[in-house]
Amino acid sequence: MNRDRLRRSVLYASASNPANIAQAPLYRADCLVYDLEDSVSVAEKDAARFLVYNTLRRPRISQSELVVRINGLDTPFGRQDLEAIVRAKPDLIRLPKCESPEIVHEVCDEISRIERDAGIEENSIGIMAIIETASGLLNARETAMASKRLVALSLGGEDFTASMKTTRTAKGTELYYARNVIALAARAAGIQAIDTVYSDINDEEGLVEDTLAIKNIGYDGKVAIHPRQVDRINTLFTPTDKEIDKAMRIFAAIREANARNSGVIALDGKMIDAPVVERARRTMALAKATGKWNGGDEDGVE
């Protein structure tokens, strides 16, 4: 389990459709979610679970992190999902309608039991918890800190707005508070924040605006509802050449000041302080993770 790996795009593939499952690795999403929940009818649950189990057991054909959205443990299918899927060793379980830390504890206990029974290294499978209700949002801070298995909190925008008795809009103002609470809870717990889907697959301009808005809040990635959204989301979460150049210039200015034994560091007339250096380091870490920088030790400053 890698808690800090790149998760810019999280693409759903319905387990009710074998073609979707077969094609999904081709779209270069950072995370690929095989969905056993909302996109699968009750009559198809067993067949979908069997399909995902066998897909996970085959050799991997992409670099995507493999995730399975199970049904909730309060349904007749959740425990059956875990019993089968954990044995196939996905990277993460995507946990829907996570209302409280107690639900995280319950799922963790089940995963640990199955890992022991199956001879799988304990704590090798992580959890991405989805906040989808008003009560879930109010417990987000405690949920984010509930287990070391948690790698991210994610917002389920459609169900959340339904729980608030409102509707999704293109501007997303109805999600503003929830997005900020989830980002704060995730950062306080040292895990990632993943945003909800942008549902209009034909509105690329809206997708860009929505993605830039949540990136500015501090999110690490966004769920894609259609493969055509993946490349755009990945690009928006990848540092630009201008951002990389600025980070490199910041490190160069620090090295120059250090060589002069000067405690005053500035670039383009602006002082360089600790938050500026931290942002530059994050830019370069993302640049390395996304393959836009291969220069090794990019800063060389303490």
Side-chain angles (χ1 to χ4, degrees):
M1 177 175 61
N2 183 348
R3 301 186 82 192
D4 301 319
R5 66 167 289 163
L6 202 60
R7 297 187 178 94
R8 298 167 298 175
S9 55
V10 179
L11 176 65
Y12 272 121
S14 173
S16 67
N17 187 330
N20 279 352
I21 296 292
Q23 294 169 2
L26 305 177
Y27 299 118
R28 296 178 296 181
D30 290 336
C31 299
L32 182 54
V33 181
Y34 298 130
D35 182 33
L36 295 174
E37 199 208 17
D38 288 347
S39 69
V40 179
S41 69
V42 170
E44 295 177 311
K45 294 290 187 187
D46 289 344
R49 189 183 307 116
F50 185 71
L51 174 62
V52 171
Y53 173 84
N54 283 290
T55 300
L56 290 170
R57 298 282 289 179
R58 289 198 290 266
R60 299 191 179 205
I61 61 172
S62 79
Q63 298 298 313
S64 299
E65 185 173 46
L66 297 183
V67 187
V68 180
R69 181 166 76 167
I70 64 169
N71 293 277
L73 295 195
D74 59 342
T75 72
F77 314 106
R79 293 180 189 279
Q80 295 178 56
D81 291 344
L82 281 179
E83 195 68 47
I85 298 304
V86 168
R87 293 172 189 275
K89 296 192 287 188
D91 296 309
L92 302 178
I93 295 294
R94 188 165 163 87
L95 178 60
K97 298 179 179 59
C98 193
E99 298 281 283
S100 68
E102 287 74 23
I103 292 177
V104 175
H105 296 156
E106 186 178 5
V107 171
C108 286
D109 289 345
E110 277 295 287
I111 294 174
S112 293
R113 178 188 62 76
I114 299 165
E115 284 175 334
R116 289 193 296 271
D117 289 350
I120 299 170
E121 179 185 355
E122 197 157 355
N123 295 317
S124 60
I125 298 172
I127 294 175
M128 181 185 294
I130 317 174
I131 305 297
E132 302 185 76
T133 65
S135 58
L137 186 70
L138 292 175
N139 291 324
R141 181 175 180 272
E142 291 76 16
T143 296
M145 297 182 178
S147 170
K148 291 183 178 178
R149 286 190 190 269
L150 276 168
V151 303
L153 284 189
S154 185
L155 173 63
E158 300 296 336
D159 283 302
F160 178 77
T161 50
S163 84
M164 294 297 292
K165 303 186 186 304
T166 185
T167 56
R168 293 288 304 273
T169 65
K171 291 294 183 183
T173 51
E174 68 283 356
L175 296 178
Y176 182 77
Y177 180 73
R179 281 170 160 166
N180 279 275
V181 169
I182 288 172
L184 282 167
R187 285 288 176 260
I191 62 176
Q192 296 182 351
I194 307 296
D195 190 47
T196 188
V197 298
Y198 186 78
S199 301
D200 188 347
I201 62 174
N202 295 316
D203 182 4
E204 185 169 338
E205 184 178 340
L207 172 66
V208 170
E209 185 177 344
D210 198 53
T211 305
L212 289 176
I214 58 102
K215 180 184 175 184
N216 286 337
I217 292 174
Y219 275 72
D220 299 281
K222 184 172 181 63
V223 177
I225 199 170
H226 191 278
R228 76 170 68 163
Q229 296 179 329
V230 169
D231 282 346
R232 178 60 72 181
I233 293 172
N234 282 348
T235 298
L236 292 171
F237 276 103
T238 300
T240 64
D241 291 342
K242 183 178 180 181
E243 290 168 336
I244 294 171
D245 179 67
K246 181 180 179 181
M248 296 295 291
R249 292 173 62 222
I250 288 170
F251 296 132
I254 295 172
R255 285 193 292 270
E256 181 183 348
N258 288 343
R260 291 186 283 105
N261 290 321
S262 173
V264 179
I265 310 172
L267 179 67
D268 300 333
K270 297 180 179 178
M271 300 300 295
I272 297 175
D273 52 16
V276 173
V277 176
E278 179 59 31
R279 280 193 287 271
R281 285 195 165 121
R282 175 166 169 76
T283 294
M284 296 311 298
L286 282 170
K288 291 177 71 174
T290 57
K292 286 204 67 171
W293 175 258
N294 298 305
D297 185 8
E298 66 281 357
D299 52 49
V301 296
E302 297 298 328

